């Protein structure tokens, strides 16, 4: 059953891949995804993306971009980074930076180097050598079909997300997980462990799994594949301690066909638009048993 009034309860942007999320009331979407989301990345000496899986300290970095008058992210502004024990640094977006061929998961793309000062600061913050890079117009990374649902994907590209333009999660899904953790005497978890872009209220637990198309405000969104979860969800951002949770509990009831644990949905917007906290969510098609969409539109 679809609840009567699902809505957007929170929106999150991640200016630097792997660093802390930033809550925003307004989220413009361009062709790639949420404006300002994962356009910056850290790479190691082999030009391979660094994530908290490799360097947990990255999860403690605070990365921010300036806000426009409407309180949306201004993606062309400087990136400000801060970490415990270090003075903050502001790095300008420079399209003329030296180009690097970098690796993000299975994709190779060109990104611009942010310079030696930024590299020194980030290397000190993470206690490991690294370079800071950012996307430029000649950065191209194709969108994989599994993330788009039935939204046309052939010419679409993405940023350095884990693959999809956006990640969607229902509050009730997180509440259901926390109920299981609480029953075991484990600590409950906050939403930042799961890094969604769009958090929804007013749904039943895991309703989002069954959706094929939704309209959020005036934005048409195709719902693609479930999101497999990894060890990053087990890292306590405050202490960097690792646990078996929530993966152990998720494995009890959220196993995917390939054996991984699934939580939240990868989604793709049809065209650029704007999402806002409070936007109504209208489910316009459900996935059928064959993985195809079954329309709920009237007429």
């Amino acid at each position: 059953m679809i609840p009567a009034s699902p809505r957007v309860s929170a929106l999150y942007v991640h200016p630097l891949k792997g660093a802390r999320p930033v809550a925003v009331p307004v989220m413009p979407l361009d062709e790639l995804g949420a404006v300002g989301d994962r356009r910056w990345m850290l790479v190691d000496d082999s030009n391979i993306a660094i994530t908290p899986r490799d360097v947990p300290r990255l999860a403690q970095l605070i990365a921010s971009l300036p806000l426009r008058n409407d309180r949306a992210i201004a993606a062309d502004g400087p990136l400000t980074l801060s970490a415990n024990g270090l003075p903050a640094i502001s790095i300008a977006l420079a399209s003329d930076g030296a180009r690097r061929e970098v690796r993000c998961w299975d994709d190779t793309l060109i990104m611009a180097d942010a310079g030696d000062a930024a590299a020194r600061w980030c290397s000190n913050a993470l206690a490991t050598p690294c370079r800071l890079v950012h996307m430029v117009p000649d950065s191209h990374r194709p969108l994989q079909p599994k993330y788009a649902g039935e939204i046309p994907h052939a010419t679409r590209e993405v940023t350095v997300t884990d693959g999809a333009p956006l990640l969607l999660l229902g509050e009730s899904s997180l509440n259901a997980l926390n109920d299981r953790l609480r029953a075991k005497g484990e600590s409950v978890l906050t939403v930042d462990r799961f890094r969604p872009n769009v958090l929804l209220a007013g749904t039943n637990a895991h309703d989002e799994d069954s959706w094929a198309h939704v309209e959020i405000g005036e934005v048409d969104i195709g719902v693609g594949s479930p999101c497999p979860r990894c060890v990053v969800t087990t890292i306590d951002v405050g202490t960097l301690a690792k646990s078996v949770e929530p993966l152990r509990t998720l494995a009890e009831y959220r196993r995917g066909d390939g054996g991984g644990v699934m939580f939240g949905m990868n989604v793709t917007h049809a065209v650029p638009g704007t999402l806002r906290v409070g936007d109504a969510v209208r489910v316009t098609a459900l996935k059928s048993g064959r993985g195809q969409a079954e329309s709920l539109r009237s007429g």
Side-chain angles (χ1 to χ4, degrees):
M1 182 180 69
I2 301 170
S5 56
R7 59 179 175 79
V8 175
S9 58
L11 296 167
Y12 299 97
V13 170
H14 310 77
L16 173 65
K17 182 176 178 66
R20 290 191 176 186
V22 177
V24 293
V26 180
M27 179 183 285
L29 307 174
D30 61 15
E31 287 286 346
L32 299 177
V35 170
D37 189 61
R38 297 175 177 96
R39 313 293 170 108
W40 297 76
M41 183 172 75
L42 292 169
V43 296
D44 63 16
D45 288 340
S46 299
N47 288 321
I48 296 172
I50 293 174
T51 76
R53 300 164 184 79
D54 319 298
V55 184
R57 283 191 186 191
L58 175 54
Q60 292 184 325
L61 286 192
I62 299 172
S64 61
L65 292 165
L67 298 181
R68 307 183 320 201
N69 290 339
D70 62 359
R71 300 175 67 198
I73 291 286
D76 57 349
L79 177 74
T80 298
L81 299 175
S82 58
N84 289 336
L86 290 175
I89 185 172
S90 185
I91 304 114
L93 185 67
S95 60
D96 59 350
R99 299 303 196 258
R100 287 180 176 269
E101 187 177 83
V102 302
R103 191 82 175 164
C104 181
W105 302 122
D106 294 331
D107 297 311
T108 299
L109 68 157
I110 301 298
M111 298 180 73
D113 191 285
D116 291 341
R120 284 193 297 270
W121 191 98
C122 293
S123 298
N124 287 336
L126 269 58
T128 192
C130 59
R131 304 289 301 188
L132 180 66
V133 295
H134 60 83
M135 296 190 73
V136 286
D138 48 335
S139 302
H140 300 293
R141 186 180 180 217
L143 171 67
Q144 298 301 314
K146 65 181 178 180
Y147 300 127
E150 297 192 356
I151 296 293
H153 64 273
T155 61
R156 294 289 294 274
E157 297 181 345
V158 291
T159 68
V160 289
T161 68
D162 278 358
L166 300 167
L167 182 64
L168 180 148
L169 180 66
E171 285 182 357
S172 293
S173 303
L174 177 58
N175 292 340
L177 169 61
N178 278 330
D179 286 345
R180 288 173 178 260
L181 293 173
R182 194 179 292 109
K184 294 179 175 182
E186 300 285 350
S187 298
V188 299
L189 302 178
T190 53
V191 70
D192 57 304
R193 286 282 186 110
F194 303 99
R195 298 177 176 268
N197 295 106
V198 184
L199 186 67
L200 303 181
T203 63
N204 300 311
H206 306 296
D207 271 351
E208 58 269 25
D209 293 5
S210 66
W211 298 346
H213 281 89
V214 296
E215 292 174 356
I216 302 181
E218 297 182 353
V219 179
D220 182 33
I221 289 176
V223 182
S225 59
C227 180
R229 294 303 180 161
C230 69
V231 295
V232 171
T233 61
T234 70
I235 300 172
D236 183 317
V237 174
T239 66
L240 299 184
K242 290 184 179 179
S243 168
V244 296
E245 297 294 0
L247 294 183
R248 180 173 64 182
T249 295
L250 285 171
E252 296 171 359
Y253 72 111
R254 295 294 299 169
R255 283 282 186 191
D257 292 340
V261 296
M262 306 294 172
F263 198 68
M265 298 298 290
N266 294 303
V267 305
T268 297
H269 54 301
V271 295
T274 301
L275 302 178
R276 295 177 173 82
V277 172
D279 274 351
V281 179
R282 180 171 175 246
V283 180
T284 56
L286 297 175
K287 290 182 169 69
S288 72
R290 299 178 302 278
Q292 298 170 326
E294 295 179 342
S295 177
L296 298 182
R297 295 179 187 273
S298 60

